Amino acid sequence: MNKKRSQFAIVWEFRIRAQKRRPFEEAYRPDGLWGAFFRKGEGYVRTELIQYREHPLRYLTIDVWESRRHYEHFKKQNRSEYLAIDKQCESLTTSEKRVGEFVTVGEPNSLKPRASADEAVLVRTAALEDIPRILAMERDSPSAAHWPELTYRRMFRENQPLRIVLVASQAGEAALLGFVIARVAADDCELENIVVSRKRQNRGVGTQLSQSLATEARKQNARRIFLEVRESNTAARALYEKCGFAITGRRPSYYTDPIEDAILYTLQL
Ligand SMILES: CC(C)(COP(=O)(O)OP(=O)(O)OC[C@H]1O[C@@H](n2cnc3c(N)ncnc32)[C@H](O)[C@@H]1OP(=O)(O)O)[C@@H](O)C(=O)NCCC(=O)NCCS
């Protein structure tokens, strides 16, 4: 079950040299040098770069991590690279001050990054070669449905019953960000599994997969998409509700290990 809890934020203030605005922003903006470096770290959430309205040579950065422990661990593990980037950026600023450490208040999702145009997500029909990456994501996701590799292979070889298998990836990159699998039978399309890689969750990929599935299902003449989900799976339920699914039933104690009710959702196409 996903618990909503505070995230850790560290805020820095920079005074930068005149003429250095552009390289400074390139290094410190969310998709800049530091952002790319932090993204390698487990528990990194996002970076914001903000500029004082009245002092164009003064900026704040806000680095958000799931916890202070994630931040400290990352710094410790990547100390030499951290110091090297810091040194590389030294000439851009006249001073740098740690404003302090903070915790977020309220819903952490309000701080989540959204995919921006330069990290466009593409959704396409999956191919046999995608199976190892699909499996790796599925195995890494305890709340996903789990199937043996053979089931995936049969899906591509036989495609009986008819299946829609879509994968999401970042434009120009081979790595997968997520996948969705659904079975179509006459008017019905059953969403059987949807997974987004941990590092890219809560950034709109699931929404894109679900919307693409609706488009594909319509093409196959399905009239509705239905699914069941553990009652405690708040992330998945939020995704389905955001995508227009309505609750249409409950199956008491449907899941085992641990025992839990299934909530049934349906989207009319
Ligand atoms: C369920 C899952 C696929 C959602 O994918 P995602 O890419 O993270 O979803 P999105 O970023 O598109 O978010 C969709 C909505 O759900 C909400 N949401 C996402 N993660 C959430 C979380 N952990 N807690 C609460 N709400 C969450 C988002 O806020 C968003 O709504 P908003 O845009 O109105 O804010 C992803 O969490 C996942 O892979 N989970 C593990 C596998 C799983 O449980 N699959 C479903 C069961 S088969």
Side-chain angles (χ1 to χ4, degrees):
M1 168 150 145
N2 292 291
K3 282 196 191 136
K4 294 173 186 169
R5 59 185 173 85
S6 294
Q7 294 172 326
F8 169 77
I10 182 151
V11 180
W12 292 83
E13 186 190 69
F14 299 88
R15 290 172 188 240
I16 64 160
R17 293 182 196 282
Q19 319 299 332
K20 294 289 184 187
R21 264 170 69 172
R22 199 158 161 194
F24 173 83
E25 288 182 5
E26 279 169 7
Y28 286 84
R29 65 189 191 198
D31 59 344
L33 199 57
W34 284 105
F37 174 50
F38 290 154
R39 261 197 295 281
K40 294 197 282 187
E42 198 195 330
Y44 170 65
V45 178
R46 74 163 185 170
T47 291
E48 269 204 31
L49 173 65
I50 52 178
Q51 183 182 32
Y52 282 82
R53 270 187 66 207
E54 320 233 312
H55 306 281
L57 295 180
R58 281 170 67 180
Y59 292 79
L60 292 179
T61 57
I62 306 170
D63 298 317
V64 183
W65 292 76
E66 277 174 26
S67 69
R68 187 169 194 275
R69 189 178 53 79
H70 281 102
Y71 168 70
E72 292 296 349
H73 179 75
F74 175 78
K75 266 182 56 179
K76 204 167 151 196
Q77 296 291 310
N78 298 278
R79 193 174 151 73
S80 52
E81 199 177 341
Y82 186 100
L83 293 174
I85 298 177
D86 205 33
K87 181 126 196 71
Q88 194 179 332
C89 294
E90 228 172 56
S91 63
L92 306 175
T93 57
T94 55
S95 77
E96 105 178 39
K97 182 177 97 188
R98 203 175 76 151
V99 177
E101 296 182 354
F102 299 80
V103 289
T104 62
V105 179
E107 172 60 68
N109 294 329
S110 60
L111 276 165
K112 75 186 174 187
R114 278 287 169 205
S116 60
D118 56 336
E119 46 178 10
V121 171
L122 301 177
V123 177
R124 61 168 168 84
T125 299
L128 192 66
E129 304 77 69
D130 292 314
I131 289 178
R133 284 172 293 178
I134 289 177
L135 254 179
M137 263 188 285
E138 187 242 73
R139 300 293 189 251
D140 190 41
S141 173
S143 56
H146 298 286
W147 296 332
E149 184 172 352
L150 193 61
T151 307
Y152 287 97
R153 297 208 165 269
R154 282 213 186 106
M155 224 177 263
F156 286 94
R157 264 195 243 120
E158 299 160 17
N159 206 18
Q160 253 338 307
L162 182 66
R163 283 239 165 57
I164 299 173
V165 187
L166 304 175
V167 290
S169 60
Q170 193 125 340
E173 284 184 19
L176 295 186
L177 304 175
F179 70 89
V180 61
I181 299 180
R183 179 166 54 177
V184 184
D187 285 357
D188 285 334
C189 174
E190 180 183 3
L191 192 161
E192 297 175 295
N193 210 0
I194 181 163
V195 179
V196 170
S197 79
R198 281 170 196 269
K199 281 194 178 167
R200 286 298 296 260
Q201 283 179 11
N202 216 352
R203 296 175 66 183
V205 178
T207 303
Q208 273 184 259
L209 282 167
S210 164
Q211 288 168 346
S212 301
L213 172 65
T215 306
E216 285 305 310
R218 271 189 211 104
K219 283 191 203 158
Q220 303 290 343
N221 300 319
R223 305 281 298 275
R224 68 192 73 82
I225 302 178
F226 68 94
L227 62 92
E228 64 236 359
V229 60
R230 274 186 185 269
E231 185 170 22
S232 65
N233 193 339
T234 44
R237 292 183 61 182
L239 166 68
Y240 303 139
E241 285 169 22
K242 179 187 176 193
C243 293
F245 283 79
I247 295 179
T248 45
R250 169 187 288 269
R251 294 203 174 118
S253 305
Y254 178 77
Y255 293 105
T256 52
D257 199 21
I259 293 178
E260 192 176 348
D261 290 2
I263 306 297
L264 276 61
Y265 280 92
T266 303
L267 174 72
Q268 299 297 338
L269 295 173

